[in-house]
Amino acid sequence: AAALKGVAKHLLALEAQQGEVLDSDFIAQHTQGFDAFSADITATPWEAIERESGLTRADLETVAVAYAKSNATIITYGMGITQHNKGTSNVRLIADLLLMRGNIGKPGAGICPLRGHSNVQGNRTVGITEKPSSAFLSRIEEVFGFTPPSKHGHDAVQTTQSMIAGQSKALICLGGNFAVAMPEHARVFPAMRKLDLSVHVGT
C-alpha cells in the first residue's frame, strides 16, 4: 500500500509540474472522491512511504514516470496482494492508480487479478464458505432434506496451521495446489505428507 501511494504521489507531482499526466476527463466522469484521495496522498510524507514500503523515493518515482508514459496499462497481481495485512488497501490503490490515468474500460488496460486456488475463483458466490450462516444452513436443510453440520470450519490459513499442528487427518482439494499456494512450504509439505488422507481433484 505504501509503495502504491508513492507511485500515486509522484503522478500527482508530475501533473502539477507539466499537466496532462492524469486523465482529468475520465476522473471527472467516472470516479468519485478524487479530491479526498488526492489530499490523502499529498499529505502522506515520503519518509513514511519509504519506511513502510522498504523502497526508495527514486525507485518509486521511476515507476511513476514509466507509468505516465504508457498509453494503456494492465496491472496484474496475485494472492500476495490480497492476503497481505493491507490487502484491501492494496487492491483499492491498484484500482486508484488505473483510474488516475483512465486505464479502465479501454483496450489493453485494466485490472487483472491472477487466480491462485479455489478460494478466489468465485465459489463463494454459490455459498461455499467455511463459516456458513444459519440462514444458509436452514435453506440447505429445507431444499435438500438433511441437516448439515453447523460447526464452523477452517479458512486456508487455519487449515495450514491445523495440519502443521497435527490436528487435521484429511484434506480434500477441489482445484488448485494447496501446498504450493500457501506460504512456508518447508512446513506445509511435511505436514501434508503426515495426513491420513489427501485427495486432489483437478479442475
Side-chain angles (χ1 to χ4, degrees):
L4 293 164
K5 271 195 167 186
V7 176
K9 188 174 181 71
H10 194 54
L11 285 177
L12 292 172
L14 291 174
E15 175 68 20
Q17 294 165 12
Q18 62 195 48
E20 298 186 357
V21 172
L22 304 185
D23 190 331
S24 300
D25 291 340
F26 181 92
I27 290 170
Q29 294 176 32
H30 301 293
T31 70
Q32 296 176 343
F34 178 77
D35 290 342
F37 166 77
S38 177
D40 175 67
I41 296 295
T42 301
T44 304
W46 274 109
E47 293 81 1
I49 290 171
E50 289 183 307
R51 181 181 65 251
E52 294 298 321
S53 70
L55 301 170
T56 66
R57 175 176 178 174
D59 286 341
L60 294 171
E61 288 180 344
T62 298
V63 174
V65 169
Y67 178 44
K69 292 178 180 178
S70 172
N71 291 323
T73 300
I74 298 172
I75 298 182
T76 62
Y77 62 88
M79 289 188 296
I81 287 289
T82 55
Q83 294 184 352
H84 190 271
N85 63 5
K86 301 290 185 187
T88 300
S89 295
N90 291 339
V91 175
R92 285 179 174 172
L93 282 161
I94 287 172
D96 290 337
L97 281 177
L98 291 166
L99 292 168
M100 289 174 80
R101 289 190 40 78
N103 280 306
I104 295 288
K106 70 179 183 182
I111 192 164
C112 180
L114 301 175
R115 305 309 175 122
H117 58 67
S118 53
N119 275 355
V120 291
Q121 289 174 350
N123 58 10
R124 289 178 185 266
T125 61
V126 294
I128 298 176
T129 172
E130 76 280 359
K131 296 179 178 66
S133 67
S134 57
F136 180 68
L137 293 172
S138 296
R139 186 69 175 139
I140 287 179
E141 184 170 3
E142 178 185 336
V143 171
F144 296 104
F146 74 94
T147 302
S150 59
K151 183 179 178 181
H152 286 176
H154 297 318
D155 61 21
V157 173
Q158 292 167 336
T159 296
T160 303
Q161 293 169 337
S162 179
M163 288 191 305
I164 291 171
Q167 296 169 345
S168 292
K169 298 184 181 302
L171 175 68
I172 299 174
C173 296
L174 301 176
N177 188 328
F178 190 86
V180 173
M182 299 306 295
E184 298 196 53
H185 296 166
R187 300 178 69 194
V188 176
F189 277 66
M192 287 191 72
R193 292 189 187 100
K194 292 179 181 178
L195 294 171
D196 293 337
L197 172 67
S198 181
V199 178
H200 176 265
V201 180
T203 55

